[in-house]
Amino acid sequence: MIRISTCCLAVSAALLGLSTMVAAAQGRGREQGENANVSPVYGVKLPKGYRDWKLISVAHEAGKNNDIRAILGNDIAVKAYREGKRPFPDGAVIVRLAWQYESSPRNDAVFPAPQSFVAGAPTNVQVSVKDSRLYAASGGWGYGQFDSGKANPSEALTRSCFACHAKLDAGSDQVFTAYSH
Amino acid sequence: MIRISTCCLAVSAALLGLSTMVAAAQGRGREQGENANVSPVYGVKLPKGYRDWKLISVAHEAGKNNDIRAILGNDIAVKAYREGKRPFPDGAVIVRLAWQYESSPRNDAVFPAPQSFVAGAPTNVQVSVKDSRLYAASGGWGYGQFDSGKANPSEALTRSCFACHAKLDAGSDQVFTAYSH
C-alpha cells in the first residue's frame, strides 16, 4: 500500500508539474498585447538580435509559400549543429526568415542568360525554441510566427507548426533544416 | 619650368604609386602555393571566420550554376548595407557561399505538396574585398573564388568577376546583392 501511494504521489506530482508548465506556457501565450509580443500556445518571443545570428542554411519553398529563406541560429543551436548533437540542448533557438521569391531582371540583364532569383519583400519570421521541460508536450519545441515583427495571434496556425514538425524522423529532433557547411 | 616639372613629378609619382599597388596585388596573386592561398590577379584571401558572418541576403541561380546561395558580410560591409552607404568603405568584405540546388523528398513527404528545395553539397565560395586604392583598376573591388577552401588559380575565371560586376549600375558600387531586412 505504501509503495502504491508513493507511486501515485510521484505520478500525481509529475502530472501536476507538467500541467503547471503547460499552463505557464499557455499563460505566456495568452498575454497578447503591446507589452507581450509572444506567440499563442507557446509564449515564444521574437529573440533580440536574431538578424545578426549565424547562418544555418538556406531554402526555397515553391507552391503556396513561394519564398526564399534563410535559417539562422543562436550560438547554442549553431554549436549543436556543428557538433552534430541531437537532440538540441535547451536554449537552442532557430529562426527562419523568409522573403518573396522574385526573379531579378537587373541580374539577368548582366548574366549570359535569365537565371537569377532573389529575395523580395519579407513575408514572416518563424521561431523555434528548445525547452525540453516547458515544451515537453510538443517534442521539446515551442513555436511562434511573427508578421512584421508582431506575433501572429492564430492558435490554429501556431499549432500547425508542431503538427508538421512531428512528422519528421525522430533522429532529427523534429527539425527540418540541416546545417550547410 | 618649375611648375611643369612639379606637375610632371606629381603625375609620375602618382603613376608610380598606382603601378606599385597593382604590382603588389598581382604579386600577391602570383604567390600561389601552400602558404599563400590567394586568388590570382587580386591576391584575395578566404577570410578567417567568414562562415560566422552576418547574413546579407539569399538567392537562387538557375541555369548552369543551379545553386542556392547565401551572401554574408563582415561588420564593415553589413554596417554599410544597413546604413545604405555607397560606395562601400575600404575594408568591406562580401562572401557568397553556394550549394547545389536540390529538391527535398524528406521535406516534401511532410508538406501538403512537393515544394521544398534545399542546399546540397557546397559548390564554391566567392569573395569581394573593397580597397579603393589597391583595386582602383577594378572599381575598387578585388575578387577571388575558392573551391573546397582553395583559391581557384584561373586568371580568366577571376577576371570574369569584374567583367560582370562592371556592367551593374554605378549607384550599386558594382554589387549584385541588396540587403534583406
Side-chain angles (χ1 to χ4, degrees), chain B residues 28-29 32 50 54 56 59 61 63 68 84 103 138 152-153 159 173 176 180:
Chain B
R28 285 205 290 164
Q32 293 289 332
Y50 73 90
K54 296 184 180 86
I56 297 166
E61 296 299 326
I68 189 162
S103 72
S138 52
N152 187 304
R159 288 189 194 281
D173 193 20
F176 278 98
S180 291

Side-chain angles (χ1 to χ4, degrees), chain A residues 51-65 68-70 72 78 82 97-99 101 106-112 114-120 122 163-165 167-169 172 174-181, chain B residues 51-65 68-70 72 78 82 97-99 101 106-112 114-120 122 163-165 167-169 172 174-181:
Chain A
R51 186 60 185 76
D52 291 345
W53 288 0
K54 296 184 180 87
L55 179 77
I56 296 166
S57 193
V58 292
H60 162 52
E61 295 299 328
K64 199 176 157 191
N65 287 324
I68 188 160
R69 38 183 65 194
L72 310 182
V78 169
R82 290 178 179 173
L97 299 83
W99 301 271
Y101 182 67
R106 173 176 173 265
N107 292 2
D108 287 346
V110 173
F111 291 143
Q115 63 179 62
S116 192
F117 296 86
V118 297
C164 222
H165 281 259
K167 293 177 190 167
L168 291 171
D169 47 298
S172 69
Q174 300 182 350
V175 165
F176 279 98
T177 307
Y179 184 84
S180 290
H181 292 273
Chain B
R51 188 60 186 74
D52 290 345
W53 288 1
K54 296 184 180 86
L55 179 77
I56 297 166
S57 193
V58 292
H60 162 51
E61 296 299 326
K64 199 176 158 190
N65 286 323
I68 189 162
R69 40 184 62 195
L72 311 182
V78 170
R82 291 179 179 173
L97 299 85
W99 301 271
Y101 182 67
R106 173 177 174 264
N107 292 3
D108 287 346
V110 173
F111 291 144
Q115 63 179 62
S116 192
F117 297 85
V118 299
C164 223
H165 280 260
K167 293 177 190 167
L168 291 171
D169 47 297
S172 70
Q174 301 184 348
V175 165
F176 278 98
T177 307
Y179 185 85
S180 291
H181 291 274

Side-chain angles (χ1 to χ4, degrees), chain B:
Chain B
M1 283 295 286
I2 291 168
R3 265 189 203 158
I4 291 165
S5 296
T6 309
C7 175
C8 284
L9 277 171
V11 169
S12 300
L15 286 173
L16 184 66
L18 186 62
S19 62
T20 305
M21 284 187 289
V22 171
Q26 289 181 334
R28 285 205 290 164
R30 279 192 210 103
E31 291 165 22
Q32 293 289 332
E34 288 288 317
N35 299 319
N37 187 28
V38 300
S39 70
V41 186
Y42 302 103
V44 162
K45 294 178 186 172
L46 191 62
K48 277 188 184 169
Y50 73 90
R51 188 60 186 74
D52 290 345
W53 288 1
K54 296 184 180 86
L55 179 77
I56 297 166
S57 193
V58 292
H60 162 51
E61 296 299 326
K64 199 176 158 190
N65 286 323
N66 200 32
D67 66 39
I68 189 162
R69 40 184 62 195
I71 297 90
L72 311 182
N74 69 354
D75 286 342
I76 297 172
V78 170
K79 186 170 185 285
Y81 263 118
R82 291 179 179 173
E83 294 173 355
K85 187 178 167 67
R86 300 289 184 284
F88 285 87
D90 285 357
V93 184
I94 300 169
V95 177
R96 191 278 286 143
L97 299 85
W99 301 271
Q100 287 170 13
Y101 182 67
E102 294 182 351
S103 72
S104 172
R106 173 177 174 264
N107 292 3
D108 287 346
V110 173
F111 291 144
Q115 63 179 62
S116 192
F117 297 85
V118 299
T123 60
N124 60 60
V125 173
Q126 292 183 337
V127 182
S128 305
V129 175
K130 188 69 186 268
D131 187 324
S132 55
R133 294 185 66 196
L134 188 60
Y135 303 125
S138 52
W141 290 99
Y143 299 97
Q145 177 173 309
F146 295 82
D147 310 321
S148 302
K150 294 285 173 193
N152 187 304
S154 166
E155 276 200 28
L157 178 138
T158 307
R159 288 189 194 281
S160 74
C161 300
F162 174 55
C164 223
H165 280 260
K167 293 177 190 167
L168 291 171
D169 47 297
S172 70
D173 193 20
Q174 301 184 348
V175 165
F176 278 98
T177 307
Y179 185 85
S180 291
H181 291 274

Side-chain angles (χ1 to χ4, degrees), chain A residues 44-51 53 93-95 125 127 129 146:
Chain A
V44 162
K45 293 177 186 173
L46 191 61
K48 276 188 185 170
Y50 74 90
R51 186 60 185 76
W53 288 0
V93 183
I94 299 169
V95 176
V125 173
V127 182
V129 175
F146 295 82

Side-chain angles (χ1 to χ4, degrees), chain A residues 56-172:
Chain A
I56 296 166
S57 193
V58 292
H60 162 52
E61 295 299 328
K64 199 176 157 191
N65 287 324
N66 200 32
D67 66 40
I68 188 160
R69 38 183 65 194
I71 297 90
L72 310 182
N74 69 356
D75 286 344
I76 297 172
V78 169
K79 187 170 185 286
Y81 263 117
R82 290 178 179 173
E83 294 173 356
K85 187 177 167 68
R86 299 288 185 284
F88 285 87
D90 285 357
V93 183
I94 299 169
V95 176
R96 189 279 284 143
L97 299 83
W99 301 271
Q100 287 171 12
Y101 182 67
E102 294 182 350
S103 73
S104 170
R106 173 176 173 265
N107 292 2
D108 287 346
V110 173
F111 291 143
Q115 63 179 62
S116 192
F117 296 86
V118 297
T123 60
N124 61 59
V125 173
Q126 292 182 337
V127 182
S128 304
V129 175
K130 188 68 187 269
D131 187 324
S132 55
R133 295 185 65 197
L134 188 60
Y135 303 125
S138 51
W141 291 98
Y143 298 98
Q145 176 172 308
F146 295 82
D147 310 323
S148 303
K150 293 285 172 193
N152 187 304
S154 166
E155 276 200 29
L157 178 138
T158 308
R159 287 189 195 283
S160 74
C161 300
F162 174 56
C164 222
H165 281 259
K167 293 177 190 167
L168 291 171
D169 47 298
S172 69

